[in-house]
Amino acid sequence: MSEAGETVRIVGISGSLRRVSFSTALLKVLAERAAPAIDLEVVTLEDIPFYNEDLDIDPAIPAVAALKRKVTESDGVLISTPEYNHGIPGVLKNTLDWLSRPVFESCFKGKPVSIISSSKAFTGGVRAQYQLRETLISMHAHLVMGPEVVVGGVYRHFSDEIYTDEAGLLFMLKSLERLRETVVGRRVMVV
């Protein structure tokens, strides 16, 4: 079986609601420049309501059910998040709370996941990335190992909505390829 051309479906989740979000823009750049064997669908979280266990019933809230279905049907997930006050944005944590249900059987259980964090500061969101990893571990996600992808001074890397840091983009694409390799490797192990 040839692994080189085997296509994987990745859901790219942006942790920012901002209309001109850097997190969303990074995912869109990666979707455009990804290898042909990577189908990256970018999703945003505008329609996800605040988590309330009273509302976590059947039938599910349509936006939540749709996102759970996308994650379940995907081969892997790429989360792109900004860092707010040394942590992940509330909208992302809120969404993960929805997606973590049912406990120990969420759509993230065993799902290969990679992370990109960004910040206007030079640190690139390393504290948000740590916090996000802790949450994903509690959800039993399969975190893809490798160098952490952090984009410091993210605003300096865009000009007219075009990402200008070619070396940084190549680094992110290598991380995306590691995610793909993890997915394909897991398929081979199942066969």
Side-chain angles (χ1 to χ4, degrees):
M1 170 161 60
S2 170
E3 298 174 14
E6 199 170 335
T7 300
V8 298
R9 292 173 303 149
I10 305 297
V11 172
I13 298 175
S14 173
S16 174
L17 296 178
R18 208 165 60 90
R19 186 177 50 79
V20 289
S21 160
F22 293 120
S23 296
T24 305
L26 289 171
L27 288 171
K28 287 179 178 179
V29 167
L30 290 171
E32 290 171 9
R33 294 281 303 271
I38 300 173
D39 177 16
L40 176 59
E41 178 185 2
V42 178
V43 296
T44 56
L45 308 175
E46 292 87 3
D47 298 328
I48 305 296
F50 288 122
Y51 181 76
N52 178 342
E53 196 169 356
D54 293 338
L55 302 177
D56 194 2
I57 56 174
D58 247 350
I61 293 170
V64 173
L67 185 53
K68 279 185 177 183
R69 189 171 38 260
K70 283 182 185 193
V71 170
T72 299
E73 293 173 356
S74 74
D75 297 309
V77 177
L78 173 61
I79 299 175
S80 179
T81 184
E83 180 176 279
Y84 295 158
N85 300 312
H86 296 192
I88 61 174
V91 67
L92 180 55
K93 176 61 168 82
N94 176 67
T95 299
L96 294 175
D97 288 343
W98 277 109
L99 299 179
S100 70
R101 308 292 187 222
V103 176
F104 305 118
E105 294 300 324
S106 81
C107 58
F108 270 84
K109 184 176 182 181
K111 186 76 61 177
V113 180
S114 289
I115 301 168
I116 296 173
S117 61
S118 62
S119 174
K120 291 181 179 181
F122 74 94
T123 55
V126 293
R127 292 167 290 226
Q129 191 155 139
Y130 175 76
Q131 189 180 70
L132 181 53
R133 287 179 183 282
E134 287 297 310
T135 300
L136 291 167
I137 288 168
S138 76
M139 295 167 63
H140 298 229
H142 175 91
L143 293 171
V144 176
M145 295 295 111
E148 292 181 349
V149 180
V150 297
V151 184
V154 66
Y155 64 96
R156 291 191 299 254
H157 301 300
F158 282 93
S159 176
D160 295 324
E161 298 183 25
I162 296 171
Y163 194 74
T164 59
D165 178 10
E166 193 63 27
L169 179 58
L170 291 174
F171 187 72
M172 287 185 277
L173 287 167
K174 284 181 185 175
S175 176
L176 185 57
E177 183 58 31
R178 275 194 305 278
L179 176 57
R180 182 188 169 281
E181 289 169 359
T182 299
V183 168
V184 172
R186 291 165 63 103
R187 286 179 182 169
V188 170
M189 289 172 41
V190 171
V191 173

